[in-house]
Amino acid sequence: VQLVESGGNSVQVGGSLRLSCRKTGFISDDYEMAWYRQAPGKQCELVSSITTNGETYYEDFARGRFTISQDNAKNTVYLLMNRLTPKDTAVYYCTTDTPPLPNAMRECRGAGFWGQGTQVTVS
C-alpha cells in the first residue's frame, strides 16, 4: 500500500484548504483511512477518520470545521479544512489502519502505512 498526500499550502487565518490522499494497493475493508497531524514539538494527533462504509470520526478541534470524505472510484480520501487558525499549522499525514485508531502518538509515520505528509501553514 502506498499513500500520497497533496494539497498542503500556506493560507491566511480563516481560509480553507482541501487535502487529498491517494491510495494505491488494497489490504482489507477492515482498514480505515485517517488524517493525523504533527506540529513542531507536539505529539502526532488524530484529526479525522473514515471507514470503508463512510462512517466518519472527528476530534473535537476538527468537528464542525473539517470534513473528511472519500471517492472510492479514485481511491482518494479528502480532508476539507475551513476556518483555519494558526493552531492548525502542522504537517498532515494520511494513514490506513485497523480500528481502534490511537488519538495521539509521539511521532507520526511509525508502524503501518503512512504518506510522506503535506505541510499546512496558517498565518
Side-chain angles (χ1 to χ4, degrees), residues 40-91:
K42 303 286 188 180
Q43 287 189 108
C44 175
E45 60 181 355
L46 177 64
V47 177
S48 180
S49 65
I50 188 167
T51 69
T52 54
N53 293 328
E55 296 175 9
T56 59
Y57 170 82
Y58 298 93
E59 287 291 299
D60 287 345
F61 65 82
R63 193 173 296 114
R65 295 190 302 132
F66 296 0
T67 303
I68 192 170
S69 61
Q70 60 190 356
D71 184 333
N72 291 328
K74 296 181 179 180
N75 290 321
T76 301
V77 174
Y78 303 98
L79 184 69
L80 175 62
M81 304 185 295
N82 295 319
R83 303 197 305 278
L84 288 163
T85 77
K87 290 183 178 180
D88 297 314
T89 295
V91 179

Side-chain angles (χ1 to χ4, degrees), residues 2-7 17-24 31-36 47-58 67-80 92-97 118:
Q2 287 190 321
L3 303 171
V4 179
E5 303 100 332
S6 61
L17 278 176
R18 189 180 78 159
L19 307 182
S20 300
C21 172
R22 186 170 185 278
K23 182 182 73 169
T24 56
Y31 275 66
E32 298 183 3
M33 296 294 297
W35 287 96
Y36 281 79
V47 177
S48 180
S49 65
I50 188 167
T51 69
T52 54
N53 293 328
E55 296 175 9
T56 59
Y57 170 82
Y58 298 93
T67 303
I68 192 170
S69 61
Q70 60 190 356
D71 184 333
N72 291 328
K74 296 181 179 180
N75 290 321
T76 301
V77 174
Y78 303 98
L79 184 69
L80 175 62
Y92 285 69
Y93 297 92
C94 176
T95 185
T96 184
D97 205 343
T118 187

